[in-house]
């Protein structure tokens, strides 16, 4: 069974390549659907396949750049990417990311980095989960009230409407983002991306997990446009991260390229699946992913607090993450198959009706 | 919050950024990794030598190769997906 293993030229050990393709496929699927890089899923996966942590992060970021590019191109054709918004946000993201990285170095010097990063991550994920589910509950309440009052349900209404207040800030220049359907001060996306970039830099993640909800709740993007625009951001920041980690000599490029083979198929399916799922459907499952991620961090924190149970708790965190990735992948695949079948059946029906006429 | 308060907050954030940068201080000594190219020949040996000789060239190589491969694979899977007959140019669902 030697053919199932490929030598990693830089890291210098053999890796089970079908594992890399399956991992790439799963992350491509989830990333294309939710609009995130998926570093929180890939790093433990690569670790299980035998990658040392330093190589796992660099390899993950490198493959993320290619995968997000594929998803962005596909989302772009659906009209889900606001390139102008994405480009403006790049400035804030890069500035924030660098400031965050410097903050981490300062925390390292005072010896508090692990404590602040882990707890900060947890608080942030709890806040995002609260935001997502509060939004869903409020939206449902609005819909119920509309039905009870005999009004038509507004498909464009949202539960949390913080963006409406933020749009009232009229600090010039005022910019119109056509694809997102927003008109606001350019400082709003710059400020928001600076903060999300700062948090991503401190937490050592790509930022999709934070930026996707920020695009929805603070900037006011429709869910599909938030997914596409965030992927555009991830592609750019991923490329920056790929260059940075490669320069530090911590990227196993061959592994990233093998992962890209699986990710390219997964990203296409994940992106096309968004055609068949309503915005709030995506938000619900995004919330579930955030909760899963938070629970896995709780396990890690407990592992630090109770060293005797460390191996069990670490294993539980990994099983949870991989279980979550498998469940979400299955959900997206099923929605894709159902939606595609329905669309093709309708297409055939209309073609045969046309032929009869 | 008035406009001026927002401008002030943004200005403080911008002014604070160099302080954050300075707070980081000098970088720590990094561990230098060397790929063992003696066991290999051909493209693998070239690849490892590129890594060993200059991380800068390796980084440039990475940021050229990754989007190129992504683009090729993206086009290939796009072509395959188009064979299924699914409409890949528009999305009917349009809501928040």
């Amino acid at each position: 069974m030697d053919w199932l293993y490929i030598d990693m030229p830089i890291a210098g050990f053999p890796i089970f390549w079908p594992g890399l393709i399956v991992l790439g496929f799963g992350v491509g699927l989830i990333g294309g659907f939710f609009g995130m890089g998926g570093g929180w899923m890939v790093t433990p996966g690569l670790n299980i396949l035998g990658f040392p942590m330093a190589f796992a992060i660099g390899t993950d970021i490198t493959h993320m750049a290619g995968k997000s590019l594929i998803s962005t191109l596909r989302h772009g054709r659906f009209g889900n990417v606001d390139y102008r918004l994405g480009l403006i946000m790049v400035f804030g993201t890069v500035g924030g990311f660098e400031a965050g990285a410097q903050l981490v170095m300062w925390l390292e010097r005072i010896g508090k980095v692990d404590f602040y990063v882990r707890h900060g991550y947890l608080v942030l994920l709890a806040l995002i989960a609260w935001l997502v589910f509060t939004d869903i509950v409020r939206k449902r309440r609005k819909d119920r009230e509309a039905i009870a009052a005999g009004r038509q349900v507004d498909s464009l209404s949202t539960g949390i409407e913080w963006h409406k207040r933020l749009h009232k800030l009229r600090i010039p220049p005022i910019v119109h983002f056509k694809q997102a359907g927003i008109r606001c001060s350019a400082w709003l996306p710059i400020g928001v991306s600076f903060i999300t970039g700062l948090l991503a830099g401190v937490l050592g993640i790509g930022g999709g997990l934070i930026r996707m909800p920020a695009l929805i709740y603070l900037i006011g993007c429709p869910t599909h446009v938030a997914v596409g625009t965030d992927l555009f951001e991830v592609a750019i920041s991923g490329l920056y991260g790929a260059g940075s980690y490669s320069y530090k000599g911590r990227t196993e490029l061959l592994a990233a390229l093998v992962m890209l083979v699986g990710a390219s198929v997964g990203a296409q399916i994940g992106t096309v699946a968004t055609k068949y799922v309503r915005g709030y459907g995506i938000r619900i499952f995004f919330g579930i992913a955030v909760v899963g991620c938070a629970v896995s961090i709780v396990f890690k924190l407990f592992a630090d607090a109770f060293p005797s149970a460390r191996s069990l708790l670490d294993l539980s965190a990994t099983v949870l993450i991989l279980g979550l990735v498998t469940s979400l992948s299955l959900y997206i695949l099923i929605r894709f198959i159902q939606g595609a079948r329905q669309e093709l059946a309708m297409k055939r029906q209309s073609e045969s009706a046309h032929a009869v006429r | 919050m008035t406009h001026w308060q927002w401008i002030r907050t943004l200005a403080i954030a911008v002014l604070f950024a160099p302080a954050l940068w300075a707070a980081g201080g000098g970088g720590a000594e990094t561990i230098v990794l060397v790929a063992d190219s003696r066991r290999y020949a051909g493209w693998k040996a070239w690849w490892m030598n590129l890594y060993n000789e200059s991380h800068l060239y390796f980084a440039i190589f990475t940021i050229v190769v990754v989007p190129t491969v992504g683009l090729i694979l993206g086009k290939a899977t796009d072509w395959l997906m188009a064979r299924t007959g699914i409409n890949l140019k528009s999305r009917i669902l349009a809501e928040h």
Side-chain angles (χ1 to χ4, degrees):
Chain A
M1 299 295 260
D2 279 354
W3 63 277
L4 288 174
Y5 288 82
I6 185 170
D7 259 345
M8 292 292 115
I10 312 290
F13 50 80
I15 285 284
F16 181 64
W17 63 263
L20 286 177
I21 291 185
V22 170
L23 189 63
F25 176 78
V27 179
L29 204 64
I30 294 172
F33 189 79
F34 291 119
M36 49 190 174
W40 56 278
M41 304 177 263
V42 182
T43 311
L46 284 174
N47 234 211
I48 288 172
L49 288 173
F51 272 84
M53 207 49 155
F55 273 105
I57 298 170
T59 306
D60 166 32
I61 289 182
T62 305
H63 118 278
M64 195 190 287
K67 178 203 74 184
S68 304
L69 181 75
I70 297 167
S71 300
T72 304
L73 292 174
R74 166 63 33 240
H75 271 294
R77 268 176 235 145
F78 284 141
N80 293 347
V81 185
D82 196 310
Y83 291 102
R84 180 187 266 195
L85 177 62
L87 281 173
I88 285 182
M89 286 181 77
V90 164
F91 294 104
T93 303
V94 171
F97 202 86
E98 281 302 321
Q102 293 300 326
L103 192 61
V104 166
M105 288 177 78
W106 176 71
L107 288 171
E108 247 174 23
R109 283 154 70 104
I110 62 168
K112 298 271 185 191
V113 68
D114 277 350
F115 177 84
Y116 281 118
V117 168
R118 284 257 168 94
H119 287 83
Y121 201 0
L122 200 58
V123 169
L124 190 71
L125 290 176
L127 184 73
I128 294 171
W130 172 83
L131 204 63
V132 172
F133 289 112
T134 305
D135 172 49
I136 292 161
V137 169
R138 284 190 193 170
K139 159 82 175 157
R140 285 196 173 157
R141 196 190 302 148
K142 268 188 192 175
D143 290 354
R144 271 200 309 270
E145 282 169 4
I147 292 166
R151 282 181 278 121
Q152 204 176 3
V153 173
D154 179 7
S155 65
L156 294 175
S157 75
T158 50
I160 287 176
E161 296 185 327
W162 293 350
H163 61 277
K164 287 189 177 169
R165 282 188 186 180
L166 293 168
H167 286 183
K168 285 180 185 157
L169 298 167
R170 312 302 287 178
I171 306 168
I174 304 294
V175 188
H176 177 55
F177 300 107
K178 194 176 161 208
Q179 220 59 44
I182 300 165
R183 196 177 165 79
C184 67
S185 165
W187 293 105
L188 176 63
I190 292 174
V192 167
S193 58
F194 182 84
I195 295 164
T196 53
L198 182 98
L199 290 169
V202 169
L203 302 174
I205 57 172
L209 204 62
I210 314 168
R211 207 164 36 233
M212 217 287 262
L215 276 162
I216 293 174
Y217 300 118
L218 302 178
I219 296 180
C221 277
T223 313
H224 291 86
V225 178
V227 169
T229 308
D230 187 38
L231 279 165
F232 175 55
E233 283 276 306
V234 173
I236 295 172
S237 54
L239 208 56
Y240 174 78
S244 167
Y245 270 92
S246 300
Y247 186 62
K248 292 178 182 95
R250 299 296 188 274
T251 303
E252 187 50 79
L253 185 54
L254 184 62
L257 294 177
V258 174
M259 280 178 78
L260 257 183
V261 176
S264 58
V265 179
Q268 283 282 348
I269 295 175
T271 307
V272 176
T274 60
K275 245 171 78 101
Y276 309 119
V277 182
R278 292 192 174 275
Y280 267 84
I282 297 173
R283 290 188 198 191
I284 291 170
F285 281 90
F286 178 79
I288 293 170
V290 170
V291 170
C293 189
V295 174
S296 82
I297 291 168
V298 171
F299 278 133
K300 294 263 182 201
L301 285 171
F302 276 127
D304 288 345
F306 306 104
S308 56
R310 176 180 286 276
S311 54
L312 180 70
L313 288 162
D314 276 345
L315 181 71
S316 308
T318 309
V319 167
L320 180 77
I321 289 275
L322 294 183
L324 192 68
V325 170
T326 312
S327 319
L328 288 173
S329 301
L330 279 174
Y331 165 75
I332 297 165
L333 258 180
I334 290 168
R335 292 305 301 257
F336 168 76
I337 293 167
Q338 283 176 338
R341 265 188 176 174
Q342 205 178 357
E343 184 185 329
L344 293 173
M346 281 167 70
K347 196 176 164 185
R348 274 195 296 272
Q349 219 169 18
S350 76
E351 274 170 3
S352 57
H354 201 70
V356 168
R357 255 185 267 152
Chain B
M1 227 181 198
T2 64
H3 291 175
W4 280 112
Q5 280 171 317
W6 273 101
I7 292 168
R8 223 162 42 203
T9 313
L10 273 170
I12 289 168
V14 171
L15 286 172
F16 196 51
L20 282 176
W21 176 82
E29 285 285 321
T30 50
I31 302 161
V32 178
L33 297 178
V34 180
D36 184 6
S37 60
R38 291 168 300 180
R39 295 180 294 147
Y40 300 97
W43 68 271
K44 277 192 179 179
W46 173 83
W47 187 301
M48 283 184 235
N49 286 330
L50 178 75
Y51 175 86
N52 287 336
E53 283 161 19
S54 168
H55 281 180
L56 177 66
Y57 288 151
F58 183 70
I60 294 169
F61 180 66
T62 301
I63 54 177
V64 170
V65 162
V66 168
T68 309
V69 172
L71 216 58
I72 294 167
L73 288 173
K75 287 279 172 200
T77 48
D78 223 27
W79 182 82
L80 279 174
M81 192 61 93
R83 306 292 102 192
T84 60
I86 297 171
N87 176 1
L88 296 173
K89 291 200 174 79
S90 68
R91 172 173 59 79
I92 303 152
L93 286 174
E95 91 289 4
H96 243 283

